[in-house]
Amino acid sequence: KAQILSPVLANLRSKVDDYIERLAGAPPISAYTAVKSNKGFILFALRAPLASTNNNDDHRRLEKENPGRRSIHNFAQLIDATKRKWPDLEIRVHLFSESTSYPLQVALWRRARIVVGLHGGALSGSLWLSPGQGLLEITPREKSCGFPGMFAHVTAAVGARYHGILCQSCSMRNGGFVDENLFIETLSSLLQKTTTPSLHHKNQ
């Protein structure tokens, strides 16, 4: 099981975070987190476009256009359910593609209260989480990297919170559907354990 906070990673982060922030051209994170009313946002991290419906033809089209990309067929519905459940929370959906600069990816991960994503490369940004943040990972039933796996270890090492869903109806090759009630229940539990990012760099 994961998982301990790593002072080595925290020390490394304190040296590079400011530099990457400047490359991203984003507003200073210190100004962002200083807003008392800010509750943070939930970031849905995608590696492939969302299917707008549960229609199988729509999923087959997207899989053909994005070969090798595992998928959650009802991801759009999970996002809608999140918006209904927490109307006061900001929800952001971002497609992390080759056109998204790495500094921008880091900036998004550092500002989110919780990041939600399917097991895979889209969750590599978990390295940039901080105490006060959380990761909700959805893992296909084959759990090729274990469950909890590598992203749980990284999340714990940087001091953030991790919750995972093992999707028994999801396969690595064909994707599947995540139980909406289980998803909302897991996300609700994680929200109770997160706030907004606390920063590794004391000067930020």
Side-chain angles (χ1 to χ4, degrees), residues 127-186:
L127 176 63
W128 302 105
L129 293 171
S130 297
Q133 294 177 275
L135 173 66
L136 198 170
E137 177 185 19
I138 300 169
T139 302
R141 61 176 177 261
E142 292 93 340
K143 47 186 175 181
S144 58
C145 298
F147 180 78
M150 66 180 92
F151 299 117
H153 290 274
V154 172
T155 301
V158 295
R161 294 280 189 165
Y162 174 90
H163 278 25
I165 293 176
L166 182 60
C167 181
Q168 296 291 355
S169 67
C170 305
S171 70
M172 296 285 283
R173 180 178 178 84
N174 299 317
F177 294 86
V178 174
D179 181 87
E180 185 176 307
N181 291 330
L182 175 62
F183 176 80
I184 292 298
E185 178 183 326
T186 306

Side-chain angles (χ1 to χ4, degrees), residues 15-189:
K15 291 179 170 61
V16 301
D17 282 5
D18 274 348
Y19 176 69
I20 293 181
E21 284 285 324
R22 289 195 296 271
L23 290 179
I29 196 169
S30 56
Y32 176 81
T33 56
V35 179
K36 299 291 185 184
S37 62
N38 175 43
K39 298 179 181 178
F41 58 87
I42 298 176
L43 174 65
F44 285 82
L46 310 179
R47 286 298 298 270
L50 285 174
S52 58
T53 69
N54 289 337
N55 186 285
N56 286 331
D57 290 337
D58 195 14
H59 295 295
R60 281 192 286 269
R61 176 184 60 79
L62 287 172
E63 287 166 3
K64 185 176 180 180
E65 294 172 356
N66 300 274
R69 301 281 196 193
R70 65 183 68 97
S71 63
I72 295 297
H73 297 338
N74 62 331
F75 222 152
Q77 287 68 42
L78 297 179
I79 294 170
D80 289 342
T82 302
K83 292 177 179 177
R84 290 194 302 270
K85 178 69 175 179
W86 294 283
D88 295 333
L89 277 179
E90 181 181 359
I91 309 298
R92 298 190 187 185
V93 181
H94 190 86
L95 178 61
F96 287 84
S97 65
E98 290 77 6
S99 62
T100 306
S101 72
Y102 193 68
L104 177 57
Q105 294 182 44
V106 172
L108 286 168
W109 274 83
R110 293 191 71 217
R111 285 160 173 75
R113 177 173 174 178
I114 291 174
V115 180
V116 178
L118 175 63
H119 173 79
L123 301 188
S124 61
S126 54
L127 176 63
W128 302 105
L129 293 171
S130 297
Q133 294 177 275
L135 173 66
L136 198 170
E137 177 185 19
I138 300 169
T139 302
R141 61 176 177 261
E142 292 93 340
K143 47 186 175 181
S144 58
C145 298
F147 180 78
M150 66 180 92
F151 299 117
H153 290 274
V154 172
T155 301
V158 295
R161 294 280 189 165
Y162 174 90
H163 278 25
I165 293 176
L166 182 60
C167 181
Q168 296 291 355
S169 67
C170 305
S171 70
M172 296 285 283
R173 180 178 178 84
N174 299 317
F177 294 86
V178 174
D179 181 87
E180 185 176 307
N181 291 330
L182 175 62
F183 176 80
I184 292 298
E185 178 183 326
T186 306
L187 182 55
S188 179
S189 174

